[in-house]
Amino acid sequence: MELSQLKYFTAVAEELHFGKAAKRLHISQPPLSIQIRKLEEELGTALFHRTSRVVELTEAGKVFLPEARNILENAERARERMNAFADGKSGFLTIGFNEPAINTFLPEAVYRFQKKHPEIELRLEEIESAAQFEALRARRITLGFLRPSAEKDLEEFSRRKIFSEGYLLAMENHHPLARYSSVPPEALNRSELLVSARKVNPGVFDKIVSVLRGAGVRPHIRQDASSKSTALALVRAGVGIALVTESIRNNAPEGVAFRTLGLELPPVEIYAVWRKDAAEELIRHFLSFAEAAAKNCGKSAFPLPAMAH
């Protein structure tokens, strides 16, 4: 049984005239009659009573008509869904992200994407950058937003740079270094400097330490915090000053001041990373929203959904 035969059958059943059905289907009448006959032979029963003047559905034909329509509707729905999936407009996407991504462009990208495409399911999971590579290999996530330690980390994946930002020093409002608008590097000597724990991203940690030592700066580096929010809490508690990304000040608690550092540190670059064998249309579709949100970072707030009362 072929879909074309079901389409021919429903056309004749609705027109109750082979000539009109053939015209509607843009075919000649003989092939239409042949296909209806083949369908009847396969089903083992007549679907139409035919006379020289009248075409009527048999009882079997009346039973078969809604079934044929259902099959055609399901086939059309499946075709539309597959076309939408191929165009990146249906399906689901599992996204891994790191803290800099969720503090910058990702919330707006997710909000706008879901508002535009509610039919696409997004699943989000916070995973440190180093762990995202294994999650991609294991297909636990489809798309990752991460900060690579080195270019070689990206070689086996498709990738695109989405966002870049610099560092600030966070300190308690009354910290002695708060008097500077830009803290000179030598002022960090012998200070308690909180840096994200090396286990979070060893390559980035090593680069920062290398830059500090290359500039002759010798702070007491502490790895108490595995996240920037934890670092800010420790700063506020007077544990020390913290090297944090620029975007973290958007969610900073009261009592914390931010200053630039007169030292060139490696930028915080966030890449979108996905497997080379992944279905790319849906990924690229979401990335268009991520890139737009990244360009908009810091310019204006995006509208949040209203809270229920």
Side-chain angles (χ1 to χ4, degrees), residues 51-215:
T51 69
S52 58
R53 294 186 302 174
V54 178
V55 176
E56 295 179 334
L57 282 166
T58 63
E59 289 304 311
K62 291 176 183 178
V63 171
F64 188 63
L65 180 58
E67 300 296 334
R69 284 173 171 158
N70 283 339
I71 292 170
L72 290 171
E73 287 172 2
N74 288 336
E76 178 62 18
R77 191 178 302 112
R79 184 189 65 79
E80 290 174 353
R81 289 188 68 182
M82 289 302 97
N83 287 342
F85 181 79
D87 292 338
K89 296 178 181 177
S90 76
F92 66 88
L93 191 60
T94 305
I95 298 173
F97 62 89
N98 62 2
E99 190 177 26
I102 203 65
N103 284 331
T104 52
F105 62 87
L106 192 57
E108 179 174 352
V110 168
Y111 174 75
R112 294 194 184 281
F113 185 85
Q114 290 194 318
K115 189 172 183 180
K116 180 80 172 177
H117 299 291
E119 73 281 6
I120 300 176
E121 181 183 353
L122 296 183
R123 304 171 186 173
L124 297 119
E125 183 177 354
E126 185 172 8
I127 311 174
E128 292 297 345
S129 292
Q132 284 193 48
F133 292 113
E134 187 54 41
L136 285 164
R137 293 186 188 101
R139 301 181 188 273
R140 278 180 41 228
I141 60 174
T142 313
L143 174 65
F145 289 102
L146 54 85
R147 186 183 184 190
S149 293
E151 184 68 22
K152 65 180 178 61
D153 294 335
L154 301 172
E155 290 175 355
E156 68 179 283
F157 301 99
S158 296
R159 74 272 193 181
R160 188 185 300 178
K161 187 165 77 171
I162 301 295
F163 186 74
S164 181
E165 64 177 334
Y167 283 99
L168 292 172
L169 286 173
M171 59 198 72
E172 194 270 328
N173 274 343
H174 302 293
H175 192 279
L177 296 183
R179 70 179 185 274
Y180 295 104
S181 58
S182 179
V183 177
E186 61 274 12
L188 295 182
N189 284 322
R190 295 179 299 281
S191 65
E192 300 287 321
L193 181 64
L194 292 157
V195 178
S196 289
R198 188 177 186 277
K199 64 181 179 181
V200 173
N201 195 321
V204 171
F205 179 90
D206 292 344
K207 285 178 184 177
I208 290 172
V209 172
S210 177
V211 170
L212 292 173
R213 289 178 177 169

Side-chain angles (χ1 to χ4, degrees), residues 225-262:
S226 58
S227 71
K228 301 297 188 299
S229 55
T230 301
L232 290 185
L234 293 174
V235 163
R236 197 178 179 200
V239 172
I241 59 176
L243 194 61
V244 297
T245 54
E246 293 174 336
S247 57
I248 200 69
R249 62 182 163 188
N250 298 334
N251 301 311
E254 291 184 8
V256 177
F258 294 89
R259 300 291 185 266
T260 58
L261 174 63

